[in-house]
Amino acid sequence: MYRIDFNDFFTSAFSVDCILFGYSEGEIKALLIKRAMQPFENLWAIPGDLIYPDEDLEQAAERVLFELTGLNNIAMHQSQTFGKPNRHPQGRVITISYFALLRIEDFEVKASSWAGDVQWVSLKNMPDLAFDHNHILSSTYEMLKLKLQNEPICFDLLPERFTLNEFQQLYEFAFEQAFDKANFRKKIKYIPLIAHDEKQQNVKHRPAKLFSFDKSSFEEETKQNRYTFKM
Amino acid sequence: MYRIDFNDFFTSAFSVDCILFGYSEGEIKALLIKRAMQPFENLWAIPGDLIYPDEDLEQAAERVLFELTGLNNIAMHQSQTFGKPNRHPQGRVITISYFALLRIEDFEVKASSWAGDVQWVSLKNMPDLAFDHNHILSSTYEMLKLKLQNEPICFDLLPERFTLNEFQQLYEFAFEQAFDKANFRKKIKYIPLIAHDEKQQNVKHRPAKLFSFDKSSFEEETKQNRYTFKM
DNA sequence: TTAATTATTGTAATTTGGACAATAATTTAA
DNA sequence: TTAAATTATTGTCCAAATTACAATAATTAA
């Protein structure tokens, strides 16, 4: 059988795309940059760029995110790889998407390098993005929703201290569905939460108690087994 | 900021690795080939090869699998991408892994191209594989186990007609755990099965009834919601 | 002080889950 | 022909989880 020379294959490039999810004002948002460079100049896009030929994938994701948005040292997890031959107008570029969750209010973002702007954009209100980024984003969001049902990652999105209602509203946003308050509280009984004396401020009604996630106790007792959040 | 010329990046290759899972004799197995070519000549490996520069990823996976094992038209799903800079001794090769489940007895495999041999190998008894293939395989197996809990994919592994015990044993193998027979049968009550008149043959005891999965009814009634298999 | 508003807890009926027992259908050996 | 052996299948009981509501508590605003 005829075989092409090995080196003929080394004509493609790889990129990473970094999907950052955050939560504020009752909505899950993604961090986007405005491209100040061709192709797709002036369109919003997921922060991403080419990987150096000798660079590890995860390292590349961290570096690229930092260069474009100023977010430093954000550990991301791989989601999926997108490789339609014509997805990049300038050549064959296969992109590996990474994602992370963070508390919007804990970080400051600042456009740099070829990013003209950076913004948190609600998933309810997503514009047309560069490349196949709408597809990448929605497919990663689906994965996020799956993970929300099986791992206690919602606490990476919520503020350190939150009310049980805020907790519930995050799930209601993600699953586009309302839950009964009393039953929601029963469902989370195996998630170790610390109840604080502190209460919600500046509300026009009875203030709710603030809670925080007890991560160490969760890990110790391997209650992972009991953590399910099928809605 | 200094930017390298775009073309400097086009020095990497990408490959697909095709992980085929099957089930026979009470064990989950993976299809492996024996490499008849450098590097790692004579070692067992996941069937995989380089992707043509203008080829779609999924197509490449199907083509490569066919060329090496004779398995034709197998639809695979993407699992993960592996890209440590030194994972391939001959250059930067990032590999995208795909996987599929099939009934071993329904297909015939035959080594061809640079594959010297093809074998179904039990996951209980895995030798040292070429490249980082042990890592790729075990990480894909973990993903399979997750999926087994949330989607009715076990029926892609079982024969078309199976006993409830065979069904149970597949889960017992995957989760390395024994289940109570009576309770197992209660747990699957939302999975639509067709009970046939036919019975198990050639057993030395009361033969069990044969069942098959009622796929169309499963899809119609969107009982997906109720399908959970937390063990 | 009271109405309005939301937080929090409770109740009762139903469904599910887990441990284990009982019964049924076959084969094999006596 | 029959009884023992073996595995399939179904049933029971009790504890735990789920669901739909109802009741009570703590604030603010008028």
Side-chain angles (χ1 to χ4, degrees):
Chain A
M1 179 180 287
Y2 167 75
R3 279 188 60 81
I4 292 174
D5 183 81
F6 191 75
N7 288 309
D8 291 350
F9 285 91
F10 284 74
T11 59
S12 310
F14 285 89
S15 64
V16 281
D17 282 306
C18 306
I19 297 143
L20 278 283
F21 289 113
Y23 182 66
S24 71
E25 294 152 346
E27 299 191 318
I28 299 181
K29 300 176 179 178
L31 188 66
L32 299 180
I33 58 164
K34 192 171 212 168
R35 294 180 59 88
M37 162 193 212
Q38 285 297 343
F40 298 106
E41 190 164 356
N42 291 320
L43 270 195
W44 290 94
I46 299 166
D49 208 343
L50 297 171
I51 302 172
Y52 293 126
D54 59 351
E55 191 179 27
D56 193 39
L57 305 181
E58 278 171 46
Q59 271 170 34
E62 282 195 34
R63 171 186 59 80
V64 164
L65 182 68
F66 174 68
E67 286 177 4
L68 294 169
T69 71
L71 282 175
N72 203 192
N73 257 120
I74 304 287
M76 285 172 280
H77 302 281
Q78 191 182 108
S79 56
Q80 276 174 90
T81 297
F82 300 86
K84 289 234 174 305
N86 56 1
R87 61 173 294 284
H88 195 298
Q90 289 173 269
R92 183 75 194 268
V93 180
I94 292 179
T95 195
I96 300 144
S97 69
Y98 279 78
F99 82 98
L101 310 183
L102 49 83
R103 295 175 183 142
I104 292 183
E105 69 277 12
D106 285 1
F107 295 89
E108 220 172 284
V109 293
K110 187 171 167 296
S112 56
S113 181
W114 52 266
D117 196 359
V118 205
Q119 287 279 169
W120 286 100
V121 179
S122 167
L123 297 185
K124 284 247 157 105
N125 201 16
M126 197 45 61
D128 279 346
L129 304 179
F131 304 102
D132 51 357
H133 284 191
N134 287 95
H135 174 56
I136 294 179
L137 183 57
S138 60
S139 133
T140 306
Y141 183 48
E142 291 306 316
M143 166 184 279
L144 169 64
K145 287 196 279 184
L146 260 183
K147 276 185 188 280
L148 277 174
Q149 295 182 331
N150 296 303
E151 294 166 53
I153 55 173
C154 50
F155 305 109
D156 295 336
L157 291 172
L158 290 168
E160 201 262 324
R161 294 186 176 200
F162 49 84
T163 69
L164 296 182
N165 255 353
E166 286 167 350
F167 184 9
Q168 180 173 344
Q169 281 156 16
L170 169 55
Y171 277 88
E172 290 182 336
F173 180 90
F175 297 105
E176 302 179 31
Q177 189 185 160
F179 306 113
D180 180 275
K181 278 188 180 189
N183 296 338
F184 184 89
R185 281 152 201 243
K186 286 178 198 158
K187 224 166 196 171
I188 63 177
K189 83 168 164 177
Y190 291 113
I191 301 176
L193 297 179
I194 300 165
H196 299 278
D197 288 333
E198 205 184 334
K199 290 181 175 172
Q200 214 177 10
Q201 299 292 325
N202 304 322
V203 284
K204 298 191 207 309
H205 51 76
R206 173 178 174 184
K209 205 183 277 186
L210 292 181
F211 292 83
S212 59
F213 177 53
D214 189 353
K215 193 173 179 183
S216 59
S217 146
F218 177 82
E219 281 162 359
E220 266 169 34
E221 307 185 28
T222 41
K223 283 199 176 139
Q224 289 97 327
N225 310 325
R226 321 220 45 169
Y227 188 93
T228 49
F229 229 86
K230 289 275 175 193
M231 294 291 162
Chain B
M1 179 182 285
Y2 165 73
R3 276 188 62 78
I4 293 174
D5 183 81
F6 191 75
N7 288 309
D8 290 352
F9 285 91
F10 285 73
T11 58
S12 308
F14 39 92
S15 64
V16 281
D17 282 306
C18 306
I19 297 142
L20 277 284
F21 289 113
Y23 181 66
S24 71
E25 295 153 346
E27 299 192 320
I28 298 180
K29 301 177 179 179
L31 188 66
L32 299 180
I33 59 164
K34 192 170 212 170
R35 293 180 59 88
M37 158 194 216
Q38 285 298 342
F40 298 106
E41 190 164 355
N42 291 321
L43 270 195
W44 290 93
I46 299 166
D49 207 343
L50 297 171
I51 301 173
Y52 293 126
D54 58 351
E55 190 177 28
D56 193 40
L57 305 182
E58 278 171 47
Q59 272 169 33
E62 281 195 35
R63 171 186 60 80
V64 164
L65 182 67
F66 173 68
E67 286 178 4
L68 293 170
T69 71
L71 282 175
N72 202 191
N73 257 117
I74 305 287
M76 285 172 279
H77 302 283
Q78 191 181 303
S79 57
Q80 275 174 91
T81 297
F82 300 86
K84 289 235 174 306
N86 56 1
R87 60 173 295 285
H88 195 298
Q90 289 173 271
R92 183 73 195 267
V93 180
I94 293 176
T95 196
I96 300 144
S97 70
Y98 278 78
F99 81 98
L101 310 183
L102 49 82
R103 296 176 182 142
I104 292 183
E105 68 276 13
D106 285 2
F107 296 89
E108 218 172 285
V109 293
K110 185 170 168 298
S112 56
S113 179
W114 52 266
D117 196 359
V118 205
Q119 286 280 169
W120 286 99
V121 180
S122 167
L123 297 184
K124 284 246 157 106
N125 202 15
M126 198 46 61
D128 280 345
L129 304 179
F131 304 102
D132 50 358
H133 284 190
N134 286 95
H135 175 55
I136 294 179
L137 183 57
S138 60
S139 134
T140 305
Y141 183 47
E142 290 305 314
M143 165 184 278
L144 170 65
K145 287 196 279 185
L146 261 181
K147 277 185 189 279
L148 278 173
Q149 295 182 332
N150 295 303
E151 294 166 52
I153 55 173
C154 51
F155 305 109
D156 295 335
L157 290 173
L158 289 169
E160 201 261 325
R161 295 186 175 199
F162 50 85
T163 69
L164 295 182
N165 254 355
E166 285 166 351
F167 184 9
Q168 179 172 345
Q169 280 157 15
L170 169 55
Y171 277 87
E172 290 182 336
F173 180 89
F175 297 105
E176 302 179 34
Q177 190 185 159
F179 305 115
D180 179 276
K181 278 188 182 187
N183 296 338
F184 184 90
R185 282 152 200 243
K186 285 181 200 158
K187 225 166 195 172
I188 63 179
K189 81 169 163 178
Y190 291 113
I191 301 176
L193 296 180
I194 299 166
H196 299 276
D197 287 335
E198 205 183 333
K199 290 183 177 172
Q200 215 176 10
Q201 299 292 327
N202 304 321
V203 284
K204 299 192 206 305
H205 51 76
R206 174 178 173 182
K209 205 185 277 186
L210 292 181
F211 292 83
S212 59
F213 176 54
D214 188 352
K215 193 174 179 181
S216 59
S217 145
F218 177 82
E219 280 162 1
E220 266 169 32
E221 308 186 26
T222 41
K223 283 197 176 143
Q224 289 96 329
N225 309 326
R226 320 222 44 169
Y227 187 93
T228 50
F229 230 87
K230 289 274 174 192
M231 294 292 160

